[in-house]
Amino acid sequence: MRYKKIIATLLSAALILQMAAPSFGAPGTTVAAPGTTASAPETTEVEEVYGPGTVSQNETGLPLGLHGMELSAQQIIEKQELSELVKNMEDSIEGKDYRADRVYFTYDDESEAEEIADCYGADLTDYGYGVGVIELEDMAELEEELSVSELLTLAADTSNNLPAVYPDIAHKTTDYRTSGAEESYPVNDPYYYRQWAHSFTGTEEAWAAGITGEGVKVAIIDTGVDHNNEDLAGNLIGGYNAVRNVEGDYDDTKYSADAGHGTHVAGIVAAETDNGAGGCGIAPKASIMPIRVFEKVYDSEDEEWGLTAYSSKIVRGVNYAVNHDADVINMSIGSAYGDPAEKRALENAERRGVVTVCAAGNDYSDCVEYPAALD
């Protein structure tokens, strides 16, 4: 445990990476703040129309095709958390700050997942590691189309028994910088001189004391890792593709719009040392568990492809890391919004003894981004 904390401290200092901050223009489709009244009784499907321009509803005020369920104490808390998130995202833009075609939810077992999906008139098709995804196009029982923002407003409203679903918030990768002038160093890795983090954190002193990360599993939740990289191949222990929900298949050279971010971060953590290739990792004998959460997304504004990680994939990735005995989780990602489901996943990791390191998001601002800003 002592070594885990030392390695995590070194990583925290080393991964002071420059954030690519999301831009916030004039609001488009926004999320309305919900009401705060008490829980409603069981739903009965009775079609009524509540005034001009409104959708057909049942007697609990839910659109036809949606229905509530008996909520546990935890699920009621989740609705309250969602209510706060919806208020905080009043100026967010649907389709930019979060996905416009889906929502996600968390669950304890498959039967609960099926029940939650059924409340939204959808079949359970995309689920794993405690996260289910509902695509709006799969909500076949819904009589009239709803936007994600409208669905979130309904889910956050405590006057009904709909279980909480969450916006699939977009997260960006952090940028990285190298600096320094070539000098004489005690290792033969050609790019060591550019790695200012080693002198900043005192890794040479840690190595001299025998702290090299040996026996420590570090989950890199990022774009994936190049499994053929000569500086990393010997330290990889398999991983998970949270985007496709499959074991392995995490090679970032296959999927990334600018392949290499996850490989670079993994190299900061555990690139082999004194092997005459590349640079040196902070913990060169640590094992790397690559977890891919980023996917290529086309930005119609900038007319180019970029990388985005959505909350549903991040929560899956954290849960995978915890379930597969990671000692440390590294997340070099950031968003302007704090997701309560991400927070619960990270709190569970902490309870299980996993140390989490998140990039603060240094885009020349004092504002710490999420998930690093979570309490």
Side-chain angles (χ1 to χ4, degrees), residues 145-186:
E145 190 173 316
L146 291 173
S147 68
V148 167
S149 59
E150 291 169 332
L151 201 60
L152 293 172
T153 300
L154 288 168
D157 190 342
T158 56
S159 68
N160 64 56
N161 281 7
L162 272 178
V165 293
Y166 301 98
D168 218 352
I169 297 172
H171 298 64
K172 301 299 181 185
T173 60
T174 58
D175 292 331
Y176 46 79
R177 293 178 294 176
T178 58
S179 61
E182 190 165 5
E183 299 174 17
S184 176
Y185 291 100

Side-chain angles (χ1 to χ4, degrees), residues 63 199 252 292 368:
S199 59
D252 67 357
R292 178 180 168 243
V368 179

Side-chain angles (χ1 to χ4, degrees), residues 2-3 6-7 10 185-187 192 196-213 273 281-282 284:
R2 171 175 167 264
Y3 282 4
I6 292 172
I7 294 300
L10 293 174
Y185 291 100
V187 293
Y192 183 82
W196 56 268
H198 289 297
S199 59
F200 184 80
T201 59
T203 51
E204 289 181 23
E205 289 84 349
W207 296 339
I211 301 171
T212 60
T273 298
I282 294 288

Side-chain angles (χ1 to χ4, degrees), residues 59-303:
E59 69 177 19
T60 61
L62 294 174
L64 291 176
L66 304 184
H67 65 85
M69 60 184 279
E70 184 176 348
L71 300 178
S72 67
Q74 176 59 38
Q75 287 172 321
I76 292 171
I77 291 172
E78 290 170 11
K79 282 180 73 76
Q80 294 167 347
E81 292 173 340
L82 176 63
S83 175
E84 288 302 310
L85 176 62
V86 166
K87 290 175 184 176
N88 292 337
M89 294 183 69
E90 285 180 345
D91 293 330
S92 62
I93 302 174
E94 187 164 307
K96 183 176 179 65
D97 297 317
Y98 59 95
R99 289 288 290 259
D101 58 349
R102 71 187 185 209
V103 292
Y104 82 99
F105 60 89
T106 60
Y107 63 88
D108 291 329
D109 54 50
E110 189 171 335
S111 63
E112 182 186 7
E114 289 174 343
E115 186 175 9
I116 292 173
D118 185 65
C119 287
Y120 289 90
D123 292 327
L124 182 64
T125 57
D126 183 359
Y127 64 99
Y129 290 101
V131 176
V133 176
I134 298 174
E135 303 281 350
L136 265 59
E137 66 180 12
D138 292 337
M139 295 172 63
E141 295 181 21
L142 194 64
E143 291 201 358
E144 300 190 39
E145 190 173 316
L146 291 173
S147 68
V148 167
S149 59
E150 291 169 332
L151 201 60
L152 293 172
T153 300
L154 288 168
D157 190 342
T158 56
S159 68
N160 64 56
N161 281 7
L162 272 178
V165 293
Y166 301 98
D168 218 352
I169 297 172
H171 298 64
K172 301 299 181 185
T173 60
T174 58
D175 292 331
Y176 46 79
R177 293 178 294 176
T178 58
S179 61
E182 190 165 5
E183 299 174 17
S184 176
Y185 291 100
V187 293
N188 62 10
D189 304 82
Y191 295 115
Y192 183 82
Y193 76 95
R194 299 175 63 186
Q195 296 180 282
W196 56 268
H198 289 297
S199 59
F200 184 80
T201 59
T203 51
E204 289 181 23
E205 289 84 349
W207 296 339
I211 301 171
T212 60
E214 188 169 7
V216 177
K217 295 180 184 178
V218 182
I220 305 293
I221 297 181
D222 212 287
T223 64
V225 174
D226 177 5
H227 69 279
N228 289 319
N229 185 283
E230 62 181 338
D231 240 3
L232 291 169
N235 289 340
L236 299 179
I237 57 171
Y240 175 55
N241 185 329
V243 176
R244 299 179 59 211
N245 195 20
V246 294
E247 298 280 340
D249 197 26
Y250 52 75
D251 190 340
D252 67 357
T253 62
K254 292 171 60 178
Y255 299 105
S256 296
D258 55 349
H261 186 272
T263 299
H264 181 94
V265 172
I268 292 174
V269 176
E272 291 186 26
T273 298
D274 212 21
N275 64 343
C280 300
I282 294 288
K285 293 190 177 180
S287 298
I288 294 295
M289 181 188 297
I291 298 176
R292 178 180 168 243
V293 297
F294 279 89
E295 55 193 288
K296 288 191 290 188
V297 176
Y298 186 72
D299 188 327
S300 56
E301 241 179 65
D302 296 333
E303 297 184 340

